[in-house]
Amino acid sequence: MVKDPICGMEVEKERAAATSEYKGITYYFCAKGCKERFDKHPEAYIETKEKEGDIKDREDVYEEGTKKIDLPIKGMSCASCASKIEKGLMALEGVMKASVNFATEKATVTYDSKRVEPLNFIEAVSGLGYEIPHEKITFPIQGMSCASCVNKIQKALGSLDGVVKASVNFGTEKASVEYIPSLVNISDFKKVVSSSGAYKVIDVEEDKTALDREKEEREKEVAILKRKFIFGLVISSIIFIGGFSKWFSFLPEGFIRFISNPFLMLILATPVQFWAGFQFYRGTWAGIKHFSADMNTLIAVGTSAAYFYSVSAIFFPSFFVGEGLKPELYFDTAVVIITLILLGRFLEAKARGQTSEAIKKLMGLQAKTARVIRNDEEIDIPIEDVLKGDLIVVRPGEKIPVDGIIKKGSSAVDESMLTGESIPVEKRVGDEVIGATINKTGSFRFEATKIGKETVLYQIIQMVEEAQGSKPPIQRLADTVAGYFVSVVMLIGLTTFLVWYFFGPEPAFNFALLNFVAVLIIACPCALGLATPTSIMVGTGKGAENGVLIKGGEALERAQKLNAVILDKTGTLTKGEPSVTDIIVTEEFSEDDVLRVAASAERGSEHPLGEAIVYKAKERNIALDDPRDFNAIAGHGIEAKIGDNQVLLGNLKLMRDRKIILGDLDRRAEALSSDGKTPMFVTVNGKAAGIIAVADTLKENSKEAVKSLHKLGLRVIMITGDNKRTAEAIAKRVDIDRVLAEVLPEDKAIEVKKLQEEGNCVAMVGDGINDAPALAQADIGIAIGTGTDIAMEASDITLISGDLRGVVTSIKLSKATMRNIKQNLFWAFFYNVSLIPVAAGILYPFFGLLLSPIFAAAAMSLSSLTVVSNALRLKRFSPLI
């Protein structure tokens, strides 16, 4: 036997679903999906020194020293910027994978921390003309006694994701840290310093949260764009009136003559060109240094051509037209284009801020303080100061601050903000509570078990952020096109200029210049870069709001292609724990009598069926007796003395062995068995008293979920290790199309593979460790969030609440998102493909029509806004529609 390097499942070499060779060693996989994941990045799973079978046991654990980091990027203007940064990061030694998302303005980098560090990423991105925002802070540390303390703290600070550089000075007793505020903050520094020994960070105010910083940055960007737009609007209005004075003859003649002065136009246009439009020049210069071009290049070249032609025409008019004639000035074209593009950027920035509202909502859910018991006193402390093991008091109406286990009291807790389930959940001693959920009725005390980045809320936020930053396969086409687009457009623009200059009507230069500018402006690939990521951001965010966590764009794209869904029975279709379903009694006994003696006999039992009977008795408030002379009969049942009565509880074989006369109970037991239930006979002093039937009951919404899956045109298949009779009884109740019964845990992935070989696109829904290989093999693995961590790791989609209707939601959301992406891509491609020829003047020979550069700028801005607005329509998605 060897271990699958992805999920850790033991595999027989002869029965392996797939194999792969890496560095001379053959690795064996339980499922095709595991092999595919391995083949993408084998170095991320296997170290050279590892021998066959000695491997990592989960997908996301890379070799020692390998890290993954999300970096905010400032200064991107289109998809080609993202492509340029991606290539720049990938060129660094030690970077295994880099993905840059234009819409989220983030880069996700997987790297070997032994060979490269975040400081190198900042330098590389800065060298390309963009910025990774980072800050520097100095704070005092109390408790250092020697140089080893310095090394220990410095190493601890440097180990935090988001810390670029850390330096600790023993002489001044201060630490200086360069860090990326969206990834790490002061509270993290305090915790890591404290956990390094008897050290303490003093006199430092709490830093702003990542949410506050992001909001602040976004508002700052919007404010700058708004200011520049208003300035440009005022100036361009004046210049436009001066340039087209004949349209404004109703205005005073002196005023018209004044603003029509070419030198005044030059004075007014210059600050718009070089202050309001400075960002375009900055981006162009960065591109020139690296022999590349982006939309900044198109705008800067286009508007500069109009501006500098007009300047030259003022000072050297005879060079362009005959002596004594006035050449046309195009200051209006340059400043109006810049103003319209700034307007587009301003509206786009505001709209893009709405695409990440789901993350903002999730981050805003967290409580700010916690009421903890320390030294027998209740004190309110910031949530960042809560420690594992703290006993926390929660009163009615309050938010639960962190994750933990109830130690005293009970209540109903509203978990709708995380699970999408509106009905409050009853919580008692021993039950788990999740941070950010709301306590409704009672008060209770609970022990903090997960804090900070360990909490469910933080994990959900991380998963949603990763999903929003991911790229689905459909994005590859857009990325490829955007990578070459600007260069092609520059060539088309130059060709347009030459054709009009040599073959166009007089004044040929004017026509050539205007059409050249129009081509450059109309072709900016902003819409192309925003088409996919904005929809992914809104779609995955909407999923999180409905209790569905989608790992990435690839999963979101694949889910819409599904035509078959396999549902694991136990814990997925059913509750995963047996409960009493029927109590059948003879004439001499009542239901409570039978339940009392059976539960008393099973009192203290750890067998699931026995626990179900005891739970039912407690539910009915039946007082139980202590059993005497207890005897477990292996494979058959139990016997015990309850009071003065000898009680026997067990299966049909036990009854026959003891020669108990069952009468009609035998037939009734057979009917219960046919319905997928487990009947247990109860006898008192040798007489048949009744039957207690126990079954793993269906979840409340299982039938509704299966019905909805059928409406979507999917085949629904149930897989279980149970016997065929029990499985078919369950399947009949929920209208399952096909049953795969008596399947061993290690064979579930094989059954998934068989369905795939029949031409099906398969989703597997499960919750257990034994489901992990099947989840990895399936085209889409869907894990029940109430299940195990390993199942969630192997899956593509997680249902937080465990409600099967989430499967329906995820498929509907996938279809809606992909439809939205295709609409966006169609309009982005259609816009560029159809309007570039128009801007080049293809309609002029037939209809005498030309596209003004001003209208080209308006159309370009409108196209980006249209794409973002269309993506925002997904916010209206409802799983009920």
Side-chain angles (χ1 to χ4, degrees):
M1 298 286 282
V2 292
K3 282 186 180 179
D4 183 315
I6 303 301
C7 65
M9 191 80 177
E10 289 197 341
V11 183
E12 287 182 45
K13 289 184 179 181
E14 299 75 26
R15 299 186 66 186
T19 62
S20 189
E21 192 167 294
Y22 177 64
K23 293 188 178 179
I25 297 174
T26 301
Y27 295 94
Y28 297 83
F29 303 90
C30 66
K32 183 181 71 174
C34 287
K35 171 183 161 56
E36 287 174 353
R37 293 179 188 212
F38 177 86
D39 286 344
K40 285 179 184 174
H41 295 287
E43 75 284 350
Y45 303 110
I46 309 298
E47 289 185 31
T48 311
K49 64 183 178 182
E50 287 183 315
K51 295 179 181 177
E52 184 178 316
D54 181 18
I55 47 187
K56 305 292 186 288
D57 62 357
R58 50 172 284 195
E59 179 191 335
D60 290 325
V61 177
Y62 297 99
E63 62 186 53
E64 188 183 351
T66 300
K67 287 186 176 183
K68 189 176 181 181
I69 191 170
D70 289 319
L71 302 167
I73 307 285
K74 280 184 72 176
M76 290 193 292
S77 56
C78 65
S80 62
C81 296
S83 179
K84 188 198 303 182
I85 297 169
E86 214 167 85
K87 288 174 185 173
L89 289 170
M90 281 298 292
L92 293 174
E93 186 184 352
V95 172
M96 298 171 182
K97 187 180 178 183
S99 175
V100 180
N101 189 307
F102 171 48
T104 58
E105 297 179 304
K106 284 183 181 176
T108 302
V109 186
T110 304
Y111 66 101
D112 182 352
S113 59
K114 296 172 185 175
R115 292 191 288 163
V116 68
E117 55 187 25
L119 184 60
N120 301 124
F121 305 149
I122 291 173
E123 289 169 353
V125 170
S126 177
L128 292 169
Y130 307 96
E131 182 189 352
I132 295 177
H134 62 289
E135 294 183 4
K136 188 174 182 178
I137 188 169
T138 301
F139 50 85
I141 296 176
Q142 197 176 61
M144 291 191 292
S145 58
C146 62
S148 66
C149 297
V150 170
N151 293 332
K152 195 189 297 183
I153 295 170
Q154 198 164 288
K155 191 174 180 182
L157 287 167
S159 69
L160 289 171
D161 285 338
V163 170
V164 176
K165 190 178 179 183
S167 175
V168 180
N169 189 310
F170 181 51
T172 60
E173 293 186 299
K174 287 183 179 180
S176 179
V177 182
E178 283 185 52
Y179 67 103
I180 299 167
S182 61
L183 301 179
V184 69
N185 57 34
I186 298 301
S187 63
D188 296 316
F189 302 153
K190 283 183 175 180
K191 283 178 185 174
V192 80
V193 168
S194 298
S195 64
S196 299
Y199 314 114
K200 186 181 178 184
V201 175
I202 55 173
D203 300 326
V204 179
E205 291 183 8
E206 272 305 322
D207 200 10
K208 290 172 182 164
T209 64
L211 177 63
D212 293 333
R213 287 184 172 280
E214 187 181 331
K215 185 181 177 185
E216 208 174 76
E217 286 295 318
R218 179 76 65 184
E219 286 175 350
K220 186 178 175 183
E221 179 192 0
V222 169
I224 291 170
L225 287 169
K226 184 179 180 181
R227 199 158 54 242
K228 287 187 172 184
F229 163 67
I230 291 171
F231 177 77
L233 179 64
V234 172
I235 299 299
S236 56
S237 298
I238 295 169
I239 293 176
F240 189 81
I241 293 170
F244 294 88
S245 53
K246 58 185 177 184
W247 294 0
F248 300 94
S249 54
F250 55 88
L251 293 174
E253 188 179 337
F255 173 73
I256 291 291
R257 196 180 308 115
F258 174 70
I259 62 172
S260 299
N261 186 294
F263 290 97
L264 177 65
M265 286 188 181
L266 171 60
I267 292 167
L268 293 174
T270 300
V272 176
Q273 186 72 37
F274 299 107
W275 174 70
F278 177 72
Q279 62 205 68
F280 306 124
Y281 286 103
R282 185 177 56 209
T284 301
W285 176 243
I288 289 169
K289 286 193 293 183
H290 294 89
F291 306 103
S292 63
D294 57 23
M295 75 160 284
N296 291 305
T297 312
L298 300 180
I299 295 166
V301 171
T303 57
S304 296
Y307 174 84
F308 286 111
Y309 166 79
S310 302
V311 172
S312 302
I314 290 174
F315 291 103
F316 311 103
S318 58
F319 181 80
F320 297 98
V321 293
E323 200 68 44
L325 296 175
K326 277 188 178 181
E328 288 285 335
L329 300 182
Y330 297 111
F331 288 121
D332 54 344
T333 300
V335 297
V336 171
I337 285 172
I338 288 172
T339 302
L340 285 172
I341 290 169
L342 288 172
L343 172 62
R345 288 271 183 96
F346 166 69
L347 295 173
E348 189 184 301
K350 290 197 76 173
R352 279 165 66 180
Q354 296 176 48
T355 59
S356 56
E357 272 185 8
I359 293 286
K360 292 173 187 173
K361 283 180 185 175
L362 286 169
M363 292 178 83
L365 291 176
Q366 192 175 41
K368 299 292 185 286
T369 61
R371 185 175 293 109
V372 302
I373 298 174
R374 289 185 182 169
N375 301 321
D376 296 324
E377 284 185 25
E378 289 186 16
I379 57 170
D380 289 330
I381 62 171
I383 194 170
E384 293 83 7
D385 294 339
V386 174
L387 304 172
K388 279 186 185 179
D390 272 341
L391 200 60
I392 300 173
V393 179
V394 183
R395 294 171 183 165
E398 292 182 340
K399 280 185 179 180
I400 296 168
V402 294
D403 299 359
I405 304 291
I406 294 181
K407 294 297 180 182
K408 184 179 179 181
S410 62
S411 184
V413 176
D414 179 2
E415 297 182 340
S416 59
M417 66 282 294
L418 296 181
T419 65
E421 183 56 59
S422 57
I423 301 170
V425 182
E426 293 295 327
K427 300 285 184 179
R428 298 180 179 86
V429 172
D431 287 343
E432 185 181 13
V433 288
I434 301 171
T437 56
I438 298 173
N439 180 32
K440 299 295 283 185
T441 53
S443 62
F444 59 87
R445 295 181 179 186
F446 76 96
E447 180 186 338
T449 57
K450 292 179 181 177
I451 59 173
K453 295 182 179 182
E454 298 172 346
T455 61
V456 169
L457 178 64
Y458 185 85
Q459 297 299 324
I460 289 170
I461 290 170
Q462 284 293 99
M463 194 179 282
V464 175
E465 281 188 328
E466 281 188 25
Q468 291 190 339
S470 66
K471 292 183 181 181
I474 198 170
Q475 176 71 14
R476 290 173 195 153
L477 174 62
D479 283 350
T480 303
V481 171
Y484 297 101
F485 198 75
V486 175
S487 302
V488 172
V489 168
M490 291 291 287
L491 188 61
I492 293 171
L494 187 60
T495 304
T496 300
F497 180 86
L498 293 173
V499 169
W500 277 92
Y501 184 74
F502 290 108
F503 304 105
E506 288 299 329
F509 184 86
N510 291 27
F511 278 115
L513 179 67
L514 289 176
N515 291 324
F516 168 70
V517 173
V519 167
L520 297 192
I521 300 304
I522 200 76
C524 294
C526 292
L528 206 55
L530 292 168
T532 301
T534 46
S535 297
I536 293 290
M537 286 174 72
V538 181
T540 50
K542 202 65 192 174
E545 286 177 23
N546 287 279
V548 177
L549 296 184
I550 301 165
K551 273 193 178 176
E554 193 168 344
L556 197 62
E557 181 171 341
R558 275 204 312 269
Q560 51 122 17
K561 299 174 183 176
L562 295 171
N563 56 19
V565 176
I566 302 176
L567 304 174
D568 180 53
K569 181 181 83 70
T570 307
T572 301
L573 269 170
T574 64
K575 292 177 180 175
E577 49 189 41
S579 58
V580 174
T581 57
D582 302 86
I583 302 174
I584 298 167
V585 296
T586 59
E587 290 180 2
E588 297 177 42
F589 298 89
S590 70
E591 283 191 11
D592 284 1
D593 288 338
V594 170
L595 189 57
R596 184 182 65 79
V597 295
S600 295
E602 289 281 13
R603 195 174 188 182
S605 169
E606 292 183 359
H607 193 284
L609 300 183
E611 286 180 341
I613 293 171
V614 173
Y615 184 80
K616 187 69 174 178
K618 287 180 178 177
E619 205 176 54
R620 291 193 179 187
N621 295 316
I622 295 172
L624 303 181
D625 298 321
D626 290 324
R628 290 178 288 121
D629 304 329
F630 180 87
N631 179 34
I633 307 160
H636 292 76
I638 61 167
E639 61 181 334
K641 198 153 191 176
I642 307 297
D644 296 329
N645 299 313
Q646 189 66 29
V647 176
L648 195 65
L649 176 68
N651 58 22
L652 182 61
K653 193 172 189 311
L654 179 61
M655 298 299 112
R656 285 175 177 165
D657 286 349
R658 297 295 177 92
K659 296 182 170 49
I660 303 294
I661 299 169
L662 296 173
D664 189 46
L665 291 180
D666 197 351
R667 183 183 59 79
R668 302 285 292 276
E670 194 175 325
L672 290 167
S673 293
S674 299
D675 204 22
K677 299 170 184 176
T678 302
M680 289 181 286
F681 296 92
V682 182
T683 74
V684 179
N685 298 325
K687 281 188 176 181
I691 299 171
I692 297 178
V694 176
D696 182 5
T697 54
L698 286 166
K699 288 181 178 177
E700 293 174 8
N701 301 312
S702 290
K703 191 168 184 178
E704 182 188 338
V706 172
K707 186 179 178 182
S708 298
L709 288 169
H710 282 143
K711 281 184 181 176
L712 289 172
L714 283 86
R715 289 173 66 209
V716 184
I717 299 142
M718 185 178 82
I719 193 166
T720 180
D722 282 356
N723 64 71
K724 195 169 184 181
R725 186 178 180 182
T726 304
E728 287 182 344
I730 294 283
K732 190 176 179 182
R733 270 188 267 164
V734 290
D735 196 23
I736 295 285
D737 299 315
R738 180 177 169 185
V739 177
L740 301 172
E742 299 174 22
V743 179
L744 295 173
E746 61 267 27
D747 291 337
K748 286 184 177 180
I750 294 169
E751 293 295 336
V752 173
K753 188 177 180 183
K754 283 179 184 175
L755 280 164
Q756 289 172 324
E757 287 170 350
E758 291 171 14
N760 294 299
C761 186
V762 181
M764 170 71 195
V765 187
D767 73 326
I769 291 173
N770 57 28
D771 295 325
L775 290 168
Q777 171 67 44
D779 297 284
I780 290 289
I782 302 176
I784 301 296
T786 50
T788 67
D789 289 343
I790 292 176
M792 291 168 70
E793 285 295 337
S795 67
D796 302 292
I797 296 172
T798 299
L799 311 181
I800 306 172
S801 68
D803 188 336
L804 264 185
R805 289 178 298 181
V807 178
V808 181
T809 300
S810 59
I811 295 170
K812 283 186 174 179
L813 183 61
S814 169
K815 289 178 182 290
T817 305
M818 290 311 299
R819 188 164 55 245
N820 192 273
I821 287 172
K822 286 171 183 174
Q823 290 166 355
N824 284 349
L825 285 173
F826 169 79
W827 285 113
F829 275 118
F830 176 80
Y831 162 83
N832 279 311
V833 170
S834 61
L835 290 187
I836 288 176
V838 174
I842 198 170
L843 298 179
Y844 187 80
F846 309 103
F847 307 104
L849 294 176
L850 288 174
L851 182 65
S852 163
I854 292 173
F855 289 117
M860 188 275 285
S861 299
L862 188 63
S863 70
S864 297
L865 199 58
T866 301
V867 163
V868 176
S869 301
N870 188 49
L872 290 174
R873 287 194 311 113
L874 277 173
K875 290 172 76 174
R876 299 203 295 266
F877 170 83
S878 168
L880 301 176
I881 296 174

